[in-house]
Amino acid sequence: GASCGQRVDIHNSLAGRVHLTPIFTNKLDTVLIIDDEPFQTEWLTDYFTAIGLKVEHEQDLQKALEVLESNRFRFVIIDLSIPFSPALAQPLASLGTEFFRYPGLMAARKARTTGHNTYQTIVYSVHDSDEVQGYVDKIRCCYILKGRPRELKMHIDGHMRRLPHGWKGNASP
């Protein structure tokens, strides 16, 4: 059978051999920042660029979900309060009131279910509450408060050389 992160390409089978093609584009050299207030994350872009990583930004939930559907990033930084289209109102509500109140949780959940490890998926928000921490813990990702850049940098620095589980390639950018 196909291993995690791959699908069987039946059409290109030769002489009974099955070829595996990647489902995701692995972007070990890129960080995805999901936040609708780019001025809040300018320092993050500067920081990641300074340590040799590229940065992609998404400013709404729909586009973030689309990007996460087919790409895996070195890190995914997610603001809890990101805008979403009316088409996502029902899917968010069906996941629970916490997803409707904090739509970034849906992006974090998508990142976790598309191959991003716990340490790669970082919810970065101003909401400092045990309630939010509980939601983030259920998804099994990191939670770092905005306004604590040292804490975020320590987390990133501590995991830069770590190759995400199941990924191939060099961990250095």
Side-chain angles (χ1 to χ4, degrees):
S3 65
C4 185
Q6 297 180 330
R7 65 174 158 232
V8 177
D9 185 352
I10 302 287
H11 301 294
N12 290 327
S13 294
L14 300 173
R17 286 180 272 166
V18 175
H19 298 277
L20 299 177
T21 56
I23 293 173
F24 303 103
T25 299
N26 289 332
K27 296 184 174 185
L28 276 174
D29 64 345
T30 307
V31 175
L32 176 63
I33 299 174
I34 304 169
D35 196 322
D36 63 320
E37 299 175 304
F39 62 91
Q40 295 280 355
T41 59
E42 280 180 27
W43 75 270
L44 277 173
T45 300
D46 293 342
Y47 167 69
F48 287 123
T49 302
I51 62 172
L53 294 172
K54 298 173 191 169
V55 177
E56 291 184 22
H57 287 272
E58 294 304 336
Q59 296 186 21
D60 67 81
L61 181 59
Q62 180 69 36
K63 184 63 176 154
L65 295 174
E66 289 170 11
V67 168
L68 287 166
E69 187 68 35
S70 59
N71 297 281
R72 292 194 301 187
F73 298 88
R74 174 55 74 79
F75 296 100
V76 181
I77 314 290
I78 306 160
D79 181 27
L80 281 179
S81 301
I82 55 175
F84 59 91
S85 69
L88 286 176
Q90 180 57 40
L92 281 166
S94 71
L95 291 171
T97 57
E98 65 273 18
F99 285 87
F100 195 79
R101 285 180 48 208
Y102 305 114
L105 290 174
M106 185 180 236
R109 182 174 182 251
K110 179 61 130 182
R112 289 290 292 128
T113 60
T114 55
H116 294 88
N117 295 319
T118 298
Y119 74 88
Q120 291 176 279
T121 308
I122 303 164
V123 171
Y124 186 61
S125 179
V126 297
H127 300 283
D128 184 10
S129 75
D130 291 338
E131 178 186 40
V132 170
Q133 182 67 58
Y135 301 145
V136 170
D137 288 347
K138 286 180 188 175
I139 296 170
R140 297 193 61 214
C141 57
C142 298
Y143 180 48
I144 299 175
L145 291 173
K146 281 188 178 179
R148 295 189 182 170
R150 184 176 301 141
E151 188 176 334
L152 181 62
K153 287 179 182 180
M154 286 176 55
H155 176 83
I156 298 298
D157 291 345
H159 294 287
M160 273 302 293
R161 297 258 177 237
R162 188 173 177 183
L163 186 64
H165 180 74
W167 294 30
K168 293 182 177 18
N170 188 350
S172 298

